[in-house]
Amino acid sequence: MSKEFEKNSREYLAELGDRFIKILSKGTLNGMLSSLTELIKDVSKSEKVSLYVYEKDHAQLRLMSSDTDEKPLKIKLESEKIEEDLKAYLFDGRERAIPLYINENELVGAVFMQGEKPADDFLSRIALILKACLNAETKRAVIYKLSTLERLDSMLNSMPMDFDTLYQKVLDFVVKILNAEKGTIWLMGEDEFVLSYVNGISEGEILRRRVKDDHGVIGWIVKHLSPFLSTSSKDDPRVANDVFNFKIKSTIAVPLKQNGKLIGVMILFNRRNTDFYRPYRHFDEFDLSILAGVANRIMLSRSRIELYLKLKRENETLKRLQEQSKEYIIHQQEQVRLLNALQKIMKAMKSSQDIKNVYKIMLIGLTSGMGFGFNRALFLEKDEENKILQAKEWLGPSSAEEVSKDWEAAKKRESMYADFSQYLREEALIVQDDGKLTRFAKGKNFSYTGDYIFDRVVNRGKVVHVTKILARERGREFMDLLNFLQVDEFVCVPLIGRREVYGVVILDNKYNSKPITDDMIEMLKIFSESVGLTVESIKSYNELKEKTANLEKQKMVIEYFKDFAQNVLENLDVAIVVVNRENKILEWNKKSEDLFKFSKDRVVNSTVNILGPEFFDIFNVAEKVYTVKETITLSEYNLKLRDKEMFLNIKFSPLFEKETNVIMGYIAMFDDVTKEHMMEEELRTQERLAVLGEMSARVAHEIRNPLSAIGGFAQRAIRIAQQEKMKKYLDIILSETKRLENLVNQTLEFSRSNLNSNFEERSINDIINEAMQLYLEKAKEKSISIELDFTAKDAKAMVEANHFKEVIMNLIQNAIEAVDEKAGKIRIKTQETDDDIIVEVWNNGLPIPPDKLEKIFQPFYTTKTHGTGLGLPICKKIIEDEHKGKIKANSDESGTTFIVRIPKGLKKVEGG
Amino acid sequence: MTKILVVEDEEAMRMLIKEELEDEGYEVKTVSNGKEAIDFLSSNDVDLITLDIEMPDMNGLEAAGKIREMKKDVKIILLTAYSHYKSDLSSWAADDYVVKSSDLSQLKNAIKKLLEV
């Protein structure tokens, strides 16, 4: 190696960076490689340099750039050493062939040049640059393809919406960008795949157009549903050779799937040489991936087209519907027009009081072009007595000759009026009473009972449409009518009043023979009822007039009801007070007067304050109705009015102004529940006593045993006591014990639940005598006089004698005790009524104060210094519970009286 | 000598009745409840039994029924604090009924009356 060359190499090495960038910036591979060749020439001072690239797949070198034409395009590498293969192609002795390696083992190409061999590191850099150029080329190809896919997208977007165009265009496109020689799209038929689109294939090259789904490449795709690549299809068993008669070198194929379902296969054959350099000619994975991308795009577009077509179809359906509805709208418009016309006809009819005029208006409305537009309209009136229909008025041209003249005139008059009803009113005045048709019809009668047509019309109120067919088939049945009308289609319309049909209108289109539609029939049904009622109401106008006289009378009835309502209010058992927003009393019924003792005259029109401070609370609550806007209730409100205590259930209901819904005041309702309240109170007391009784019974029972023992031993002790003092003390113990035992006995007696009743009919006077005997001595002792006053001489009653006697004894005992301190008097009196016996035990003792009097029948309440406090409660129990009677006490300065009242015959025997 | 069994749960009362009846010349045994009474009667005979109705363990009425099953001929007097059982007496196994009191003369009379028959 010459020094100079080495020096050159080194200098160039230093520049290599710059040059490399320049090379790569050439863009195309050819440009890059010719720059690289220039570089080698510069360094080696060689005149001719040839640059080869290594193609590994084919084990050959391919000429990329050369200064001579003598070098072969390809050099097959067959021997072990490359140098040996290259040697055969050396031009002369000056020329040398140098393989280019990267890292001393990866062959990238070779260079032929003259002169000295450049430095090794220079060569290895050349190799690197060569590799970089090839890589750059590959990248460029990728970028190109990707950019073409973008083009595909925009093409698809602007494509017409049909499947044929889509498949063909896409196939053409993909064949072009993937540099395939030929392309096909097979679509799935019923049980085969059909060759549907081709590119680059002539008719003559096609051997078959249908293949089974297990055939060749298609078969493979059906099985695997994934992309297919065959790099050398000649020997590939997967690629069939019986479909086309061209040579298949390489193949790529992809499934066309829609919603995961296979619908076809796209196959490309044989890759062309291209602008882009590749070390091999077959398709590769990259091509396949592009094809798969294209397949996806086809299917997406297909879906889009399907959606488009669907929308298009729907759109067309909608359009069709729209057209249909247009017809319907026209039809509806006609119906609406007729309804409007009907309304106008009725309006015109109502404005006239003359019934004859009213019929005319109706007939004009039915024949006018602005109305129902019939050619002729005949009105028949019902004669109830003779069961016939009488022809009254017939409107329309009398002959064909008159038609155009009549109608034109009518149309002209119509057009002068903006308002149809006004036209009808005025036209009715013009139309002659004796038109030709009317004159012809007058006097004509039809019997309607049993008539084929009129029976239905008159008796059943039906609109009857006589069609041409009906007239032909059943015409015999109504020959008279057909002959009279001289038409084969008409319609009979009843005029229906509130109760019955009172006339019939017959309509036809004799002159223009316009068919009568079902819609018209429907409209005539409405006409039949509404016009019928209108006519009837006009007819009864006079009657109404008379009736107005009666209204005066009705006013009186209203007055009567007003009185009646007032009466109800007055007689209600509830106090009702109406108060307005200014707190003024507007209403104060009788019960209010009774309950509160204020007269109506005094309080009405005064504010509620007049009722006094006792009512302040009540009306304060009442005013809350203005805020809560609902009824407010007070239960068992305790009102103390002039020392009288009462319990009231009170309700305040707001009084709404009907239209504005503003509260104008309120109604206060007072229900006097004092009695109920007292009864409840009594019941509660009874319950309390029952519990108390039971408890005392238990306590008493527990006390009895030890008490008996104490008393018993005291008695024993007395017997053996030596000292007088001891004996005296024991006597006290014994007597106190006995007192306690007595208390216990009475307690138990009171609380026992079922009395041992033994009822018998006894003389009450006898029982009283028996009882009194027991106290005579005691009374005498205290100089108390006992007087008997048996007004009821022989009063007998059903009594439990022992218990009743106990009561009398108790009362006498009490009386004696009451007059204890002075020489007193006791009087026992009996009286009888039809049902009851009354026993009064009176004494002239000190009066019992009212508050104590209330309580004396309660257990354990006693006014005496001794006593159990159970005596009177037991009496009450015997008299009221057992004998269903009543016991009470009165007391004042003149004395105290206990009054016992029992029924003679016991109403209901309870207990054992 | 006439034998009487007193069935009474309260000790003081038991003692009182025993002493009072012994003073009358009866041989008196006492137990404190119905169960003990039945135990006692299974190996002993008595002429008359006084039985407190309200007792723990076995109700006096129940005890009376059991005793009547064991001893057909023994006289039974029920003692109670209440007086309203009287009318139902016939349905009981007892022969008489006495309301308890510190004054035992009522009981003594009832015993005498029953033993005379």
Side-chain angles (χ1 to χ4, degrees), chain A residues 701 704-705 715-716 741, chain B residues 19-20 23 81 100-102:
Chain A
H701 179 243
R704 174 162 236 161
N705 267 330
Q715 233 157 14
R716 287 183 69 75
E741 272 192 307
Chain B
E19 286 186 11
E20 286 282 309
D23 286 354
K100 272 187 198 170
S101 161
S102 56

Side-chain angles (χ1 to χ4, degrees), chain A residues 697-698 701 704-709 711-713 715-716 719 734 737-738 741 745 748-749 752 754 756, chain B residues 8-10 12-13 15-16 19-20 23 52 54 80-84 87 99-104 108:
Chain A
R698 275 202 355 238
H701 179 243
R704 174 162 236 161
N705 267 330
L707 221 46
S708 300
F713 282 114
Q715 233 157 14
R716 287 183 69 75
R719 274 182 233 144
L734 189 58
T737 306
K738 285 208 165 135
E741 272 192 307
N745 280 341
L748 289 170
E749 195 73 14
R752 65 192 178 181
N754 46 345
N756 301 306
Chain B
E8 170 62 58
D9 63 322
E10 293 217 12
M13 209 57 203
M15 185 177 154
L16 177 69
E19 286 186 11
E20 286 282 309
D23 286 354
D52 185 11
E54 269 84 25
T80 180
Y82 286 107
S83 59
H84 59 277
S87 60
V99 179
K100 272 187 198 170
S101 161
S102 56
D103 184 359
L104 289 184
K108 288 176 198 162

